[in-house]
């Protein structure tokens, strides 16, 4: 049984992990016979969003690890404990939390940095040559992990693609139902809700990405 580590960024599209993307990924992995272990950084969220109104909940603070535990029924560990030696592959769903809590791309764009524990964990897979999949906005982190020239996609958003290229990525436009693979670096990316209009469209690309990820193990 292949073992896959999944890094979550909280719970909720606007300030954490995109729940549909996370659940679709976990379901696809399970259906294809893989075991999973979820991880998240034990840090405060950048901010808390009221998902009913879209407004920032002033004065409210939440922890990324605690919130992410909601998605995986409490079966989660601190990402500081994650090492590629214990797993066959890595997967990161999107949601604004990937760009706010796992890194600060949402604030700093091309000048962003990745949260240190997340960076260490992701780099351990890159150094080991083990396959990894980055979904939705999470591929914005790829050039900081894999280096200049890495193939990656976030779909067709020109502003985000330009920022990724300024960070060193080689961005390829990609439809929601497909994915991009950098064969040399063994990293996969797919647009999901960067382009998806509904959960079916998001699932299409994610399920194909998961199949590719496990095939590369």
């Amino acid at each position: 049984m292949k073992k896959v580590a999944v890094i979550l960024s909280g719970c909720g599209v606007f300030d954490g992990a995109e729940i549909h993307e996370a659940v679709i990924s976990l379901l696809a992995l399970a259906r294809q016979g893989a075991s999973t272990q979820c991880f998240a950084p034990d840090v405060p969220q950048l901010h808390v969003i009221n998902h009913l109104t879209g407004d920032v909940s002033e004065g409210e603070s939440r922890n990324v690890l605690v919130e992410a535990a909601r998605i995986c029924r409490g079966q989660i560990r601190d990402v500081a404990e994650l090492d590629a030696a214990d797993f066959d592959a890595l997967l990161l769903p999107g949601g604004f939390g990937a760009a706010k809590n796992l890194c600060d791309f949402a604030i700093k764009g091309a000048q962003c940095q990745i949260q240190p524990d997340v960076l260490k964990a992701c780099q351990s897979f890159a150094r080991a040559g083990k396959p990894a999949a980055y979904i939705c906005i999470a591929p914005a982190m790829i050039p900081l992990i894999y280096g200049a020239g890495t193939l990656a996609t976030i779909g067709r958003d020109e502003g985000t693609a330009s920022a990724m290229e300024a960070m060193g990525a080689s961005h390829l436009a990609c439809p929601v139902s497909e994915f991009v693979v950098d064969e040399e670096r063994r990293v996969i990316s797919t647009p999901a809700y960067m382009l998806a209009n509904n959960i079916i469209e998001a699932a299409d690309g994610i399920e194909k990405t998961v199949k590719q990820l496990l095939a590369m193990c």
Side-chain angles (χ1 to χ4, degrees):
M1 180 179 288
K2 295 171 182 177
K3 298 171 62 179
V4 181
V6 178
I7 299 179
L8 301 175
S9 58
C11 181
V13 57
F14 299 124
D15 57 9
E18 211 297 319
I19 297 171
H20 291 175
E21 292 177 359
V23 173
I24 290 166
S25 297
L26 293 169
L27 179 59
L29 287 163
R31 280 183 166 167
Q32 296 187 43
S35 67
T36 57
Q37 174 62 57
C38 291
F39 294 86
D42 187 7
V43 297
Q45 292 183 184
L46 174 67
H47 54 209
V48 177
I49 299 292
N50 180 326
H51 281 64
L52 185 62
T53 66
D55 298 327
V56 175
S57 297
E58 299 293 348
E60 186 173 350
S61 177
R62 297 186 186 181
N63 178 280
V64 176
L65 179 60
V66 172
E67 291 300 296
R70 296 174 180 269
I71 294 175
C72 48
R73 301 170 65 88
Q75 302 301 308
I76 195 165
R77 293 162 54 190
D78 187 340
V79 75
E81 302 172 8
L82 174 54
D83 190 282
D86 301 323
F87 295 90
D88 299 301
L90 173 69
L91 184 144
L92 284 80
F96 279 103
K100 292 178 178 179
N101 303 326
L102 302 187
C103 70
D104 55 8
F105 182 81
I107 307 302
K108 297 184 178 179
Q111 306 304 314
C112 78
Q113 293 184 321
I114 300 175
Q115 196 275 338
D117 292 332
V118 174
L119 179 61
K120 181 180 178 182
C122 293
Q123 285 181 331
S124 75
F125 282 85
R127 286 194 300 268
K130 293 187 175 182
Y134 291 72
I135 296 170
C136 190
I137 192 62
M141 295 186 284
I142 285 176
L144 298 183
I145 297 164
Y146 291 89
T150 306
L151 300 178
T153 191
I154 45 76
R156 295 191 293 265
D157 185 87
E158 293 183 3
T160 305
S162 294
M164 289 175 64
E165 290 183 335
M167 294 160 63
S170 179
H171 183 270
L172 297 179
C174 178
V176 67
S177 60
E178 298 299 332
F179 55 83
V180 166
V181 182
D182 187 308
E183 297 283 358
E184 179 183 353
R185 297 171 178 87
R186 298 174 60 74
V187 62
I188 313 162
S189 49
T190 191
Y193 273 108
M194 289 295 292
L195 287 178
N197 294 306
N198 54 59
I199 193 170
I200 296 173
E201 291 185 358
D204 196 11
I206 292 171
E207 288 167 355
K208 290 178 182 177
T209 297
V210 166
K211 184 176 181 179
Q212 176 69 22
L213 178 69
L214 295 178
M216 292 171 65
C217 290

